[in-house]
Structure formats: C-alpha cells, structure tokens
Amino acid sequence: TPLSRIQMACDLLRRVDTKNHHQLLNDIDDYIEDISALTTDILQLSKLASQQDSKELFPLQTVSLKAFCRCRLNMAVNSQTKLNIDQQVVNDAIILQPSFAKLVVDNLIKNADRYGNGLIEVTLSEFDACWKINVEDNGQGIPAGKREEIFYAFARLDQSRNLNGGGFGLGLTIANRAAKNLGWTLSVDGSHLGGTRLSIFIPKNDQRKGTH
C-alpha cells in the first residue's frame, strides 16, 4: 500500500548509510499522489452509491452517442485509439445524465489504456432494443474464470494483466456503479485484438421520457 511504502522510504532515509536520499524523497511524493488518487476514487464510489436514487439532482441531456464516444477517446494517453461506428447506427440520440455516462466510458477507456499494449478500439452498434459500446484492447486479456472479478472493488488480477499497470482496482467498480445508476449493463469478454473487450449495453426503453 502507499502508506507502507512511505513508511519504508522514511525508515531508509533515517539510516546513515542510505545514499539515494533524493530518489527516496521523489518516491514519497509519488506515493502521496497515489493516496490522493485512491481517496478520490473511494469518495467517487461512495457518492455514486448514495446518488443511485437521487437522479433528480443531475439534469438530463439529449446527446449523440457518436459524438459522445468520439470526444471520450482522449481519455487514452498511452494508446492509439480507433472509433468504429456500425452502419446499422441510424438513431444515436439518447437522453442521459452526462456525468454518469462519462464515468462509465472514461473508466473503460482508461482501463484499456492501462492494461493494453498501445491499441484501443471503441465500437458503437445499434440494435432494436439497445445500443452497444465495445471498448477493446490488445493486452494480455483476462482468463474466463476471472472476468467478473474485475468489477469488484480493489480487484487486482496481476497474474493476467500488466504487472506494471498500477492503480487500485476501483476504476471498473466506479464504471459499473455509474452504469447501474443509468440503467446500463456492463459485461466482459475476450477481444479480437487479443486482449479484453468491455461492453456497455444501453437500453432504448422509455427514451422519450428520459428514464432508464
């Protein structure tokens, strides 16, 4: 944990024979940033849980799913991104709460960016009853028996993911909680890119009323 790392670094700094003081101080700064990020994620998850039945606090907006997916691609900072829009997508106007929707899509893209090997594909499809957004990466993937665990808080599947990925396993938990608040569903599968495919199912029911 970041706290134990800070304690270890401080213990090393107290030793008279320690030479890399500057690096240890930099490490402590990094660990403090980790704690800040973790605290932010925990607070975000807590707010999502408490806001499940408080949708009136968040104004609904009508947005284009095509435009929404396109503008979220910049969440990937270490990967090349590609947006695929199926020819079947004709009506992509949807009524939603943008803050929740961003938490879902952004965390899926960040996860692909963290655990992939530099390539992310986002695909928007339309069906009679729903829209579907796939976020796929070219990483090592996740064994079938472990896939549902990625939505658990603090899940870290290091044996099947990039060991240098970092993070604390809350991003997909936040995405899943925000998806439930919207009435959306998340699923995980293997990708044709060789890594993981995370899918968002967005029902079309009651779109005129703005309910999910």
Side-chain angles (χ1 to χ4, degrees):
T1 66
L3 285 175
S4 63
R5 294 170 188 165
I6 290 174
Q7 184 177 16
M8 181 180 293
C10 289
D11 289 342
L12 290 172
L13 285 171
R14 293 188 181 98
R15 293 172 58 99
V16 295
D17 58 342
T18 299
K19 297 180 180 180
N20 55 339
H21 285 73
H22 183 72
Q23 181 59 50
L24 286 171
L25 290 171
N26 288 339
D27 289 344
I28 290 174
D29 287 339
D30 291 340
Y31 302 150
I32 291 173
E33 290 182 7
D34 288 344
I35 291 176
S36 177
L38 176 60
T39 302
T40 299
D41 284 349
I42 291 174
L43 289 174
Q44 183 68 75
L45 189 59
S46 176
K47 288 179 180 179
L48 284 170
S50 64
Q51 292 165 354
Q52 181 178 5
D53 299 319
S54 303
K55 295 178 181 179
E56 66 276 4
L57 299 176
F58 300 89
L60 295 169
Q61 294 183 18
T62 300
V63 302
S64 160
L65 279 177
K66 296 178 183 177
F68 180 79
C69 290
R70 188 173 293 111
C71 73
R72 305 325 300 167
L73 293 180
N74 61 6
M75 290 295 104
V77 296
N78 300 311
S79 305
Q80 177 183 353
T81 58
K82 179 182 180 182
L83 176 62
N84 303 315
I85 300 177
D86 286 355
Q87 294 181 350
Q88 302 98 315
V89 179
V90 178
N91 175 24
D92 71 324
I94 179 174
I95 301 171
L96 51 70
Q97 287 128 333
S99 58
F100 287 169
K102 289 177 182 178
L103 283 175
V104 178
V105 177
D106 289 3
N107 276 293
L108 264 58
I109 291 177
K110 289 177 181 178
N111 181 79
D113 190 39
R114 182 188 300 276
Y115 294 112
N117 289 321
L119 179 61
I120 298 173
E121 283 190 8
V122 177
T123 303
L124 173 64
S125 307
E126 182 179 3
F127 303 94
D128 291 340
C130 71
W131 292 278
K132 181 182 179 183
I133 301 174
N134 287 335
V135 179
E136 305 183 65
D137 66 62
N138 63 337
Q140 297 180 17
I142 304 172
K146 295 286 187 179
R147 287 172 181 165
E148 292 305 317
E149 294 182 21
I150 67 173
F151 297 118
Y152 299 161
F154 301 107
R156 294 291 303 276
L157 308 182
D158 288 345
Q159 67 273 22
S160 59
R161 305 292 266 177
N162 183 353
L163 291 172
N164 298 317
F168 295 96
L170 283 178
L172 293 183
T173 307
I174 291 172
N176 195 38
R177 180 72 268 174
K180 288 181 179 179
N181 285 10
L182 289 164
W184 299 1
T185 303
L186 300 186
S187 70
V188 57
D189 205 342
S191 168
H192 73 281
L193 297 176
T196 301
R197 178 177 68 206
L198 288 161
S199 300
I200 308 167
F201 295 89
I202 305 172
K204 291 182 176 179
N205 57 300
D206 295 330
Q207 274 297 303
R208 293 180 182 177
K209 299 178 182 179
T211 59
H212 302 277

